[in-house]
Amino acid sequence: MRLILVSLLLATLLTGCANVSRFEKGPLVAHGEEIDGSGEPLYYVVGIDLGKAGDSRPLEALLRLSPDSPPVSIGALRPQQVARYLPPFVPPPQWPDSWKQKSRENDAYTGGGFHIVFREGRLLSVGICSHCAGQREEPVVGTPDGQHWYALPLTRQQVIDVFGHPDWVHRVNEVRY
């Protein structure tokens, strides 16, 4: 009986800790939490993995890689274009050598809350983050028609406006990238 009670208590506590909202749409995953007493999840990290099949709507969203860059759809990103606005990614010195070597297999660019990775000119992934690595960034994303622009973090409605309705939204205990 005690084992059952302990199991129920742990299950209750663990589900009570599920405070991260995970929004999924095809190749896109966004994570949000209540930030600064927002009362609703604000999505501070968006990842698009083009190795995953699914709805292409997230690739139609627009980005501004810097305040002076023209808008570009995610699906139209090219290495030469991204290199004009973002510096090449340099692996942190504390990374193990194997990770550094692996990162050199790709052409990656990081800055302003964006991390964009190509291999042989082909887009592999896009990461957009406002509250990452102990820093605060304000990357800007736009609706496919260019009518609305938002700086991260985004409300759920803004994520829907930019990337489309989710396939699934659920709570998780931790953010997995």
Side-chain angles (χ1 to χ4, degrees):
M1 184 65 156
R2 188 181 329 194
L3 182 59
I4 293 171
L5 287 174
V6 169
S7 297
L8 286 173
L9 178 62
L10 283 174
T12 303
L13 289 173
L14 290 176
T15 57
C17 294
N19 60 357
V20 177
S21 179
R22 183 177 168 106
F23 179 110
E24 297 182 24
K25 176 157 185 74
L28 178 140
V29 174
H31 292 96
E33 297 179 58
E34 289 186 22
I35 299 172
D36 299 328
S38 61
E40 70 172 305
L42 295 178
Y43 293 86
Y44 57 89
V45 64
V46 175
I48 301 171
D49 179 355
L50 282 102
K52 294 182 179 178
D55 191 337
S56 64
R57 165 79 194 266
L59 302 181
E60 297 171 10
L62 300 176
L63 303 179
R64 284 198 191 269
L65 299 175
S66 73
D68 61 335
S69 73
V72 61
S73 70
I74 292 171
L77 289 170
R78 300 292 175 259
Q80 306 84 343
Q81 173 189 40
V82 173
R84 280 187 229 139
Y85 301 100
L86 302 179
F89 172 70
V90 177
Q94 67 269 26
W95 275 19
D97 288 338
S98 62
W99 290 9
K100 290 177 188 175
Q101 183 60 35
K102 184 78 172 160
S103 74
R104 290 185 189 105
E105 294 174 6
N106 300 319
D107 297 315
Y109 303 89
T110 299
F114 294 102
H115 183 77
I116 302 172
V117 181
F118 299 91
R119 181 175 289 153
E120 298 175 2
R122 187 174 147 258
L123 182 63
L124 295 180
S125 65
V126 175
I128 310 167
C129 188
S130 64
H131 291 74
C132 291
Q135 298 181 29
R136 176 70 168 93
E137 301 282 353
E138 293 188 1
V140 176
V141 296
T143 57
D145 63 8
Q147 296 297 308
H148 302 282
W149 291 90
Y150 307 109
L152 268 66
L154 306 173
T155 65
R156 180 177 296 175
Q157 186 57 54
Q158 290 170 334
V159 175
I160 291 169
D161 291 349
V162 173
F163 300 107
H165 287 278
D167 298 331
W168 193 29
V169 176
H170 57 105
R171 297 279 189 187
V172 295
N173 290 326
E174 63 182 303
V175 176
R176 293 185 187 154
Y177 300 102

